[in-house]
Amino acid sequence: MLNLTTIMISSQDPAKLTDFYTKLLGEPAWTGNEFRGWKAGTGYLMIGPHDQITGTNQEPARLISNFETDDVEGEFGRVTALGAKVIAEPYHPGEDPAMLLATLADPDGNYFQLASPMPS
């Protein structure tokens, strides 16, 4: 069995993403050189430099991080006030009218979603 523990977002300008995700998630739980990590639920979101990354994400829908919350609409307001770009305002996906999703982009153009908790 595999356990996904970390999503790593590489950037040409990790300081810019660190500032954004610190506003979103609070102070990093882990730091090392130019890398930062935030504990979000049971996993970590990591930000760091990479010599093969330049500019913004040209295919942001390829990998989307989800942050679960009981208050998608409230968090949507908070996150957009932090400067996240709105890709899709909160909506009910067709397959589950009880669920809410909202899609946003960070300063590098990486997509992330605010989502109602997944059923267990």
Side-chain angles (χ1 to χ4, degrees):
M1 180 175 155
L2 298 177
N3 179 29
L4 179 64
T5 61
T6 305
I7 296 290
M8 175 70 174
I9 301 176
S10 298
S11 178
Q12 180 180 4
D13 187 358
K16 177 176 62 177
L17 286 184
T18 294
D19 181 56
F20 176 78
Y21 283 101
T22 297
K23 291 175 187 172
L24 182 71
L25 300 170
E27 289 299 316
W30 181 88
T31 61
N33 296 321
E34 294 181 71
F35 293 85
R36 302 290 178 267
W38 293 263
K39 182 101 168 136
T42 60
Y44 278 85
L45 176 69
M46 302 291 294
I47 304 289
H50 196 288
D51 64 355
Q52 295 179 12
I53 301 297
T54 58
T56 59
N57 189 341
Q58 298 303 302
E59 294 186 50
R62 184 176 292 268
L63 178 67
I64 300 174
S65 303
N66 283 353
F67 294 98
E68 286 188 347
T69 177
D70 290 326
D71 185 10
V72 170
E73 291 171 331
E75 284 295 313
F76 179 81
R78 183 181 77 84
V79 172
T80 55
L82 297 175
K85 179 181 175 188
V86 175
I87 305 303
E89 294 194 10
Y91 66 96
H92 297 281
E95 65 273 9
D96 187 353
M99 184 175 199
L100 272 177
L101 289 175
T103 307
L104 302 112
D106 70 18
D108 267 12
N110 303 299
Y111 286 2
F112 65 95
Q113 290 184 312
L114 303 174
S116 300
M118 296 292 288
S120 2

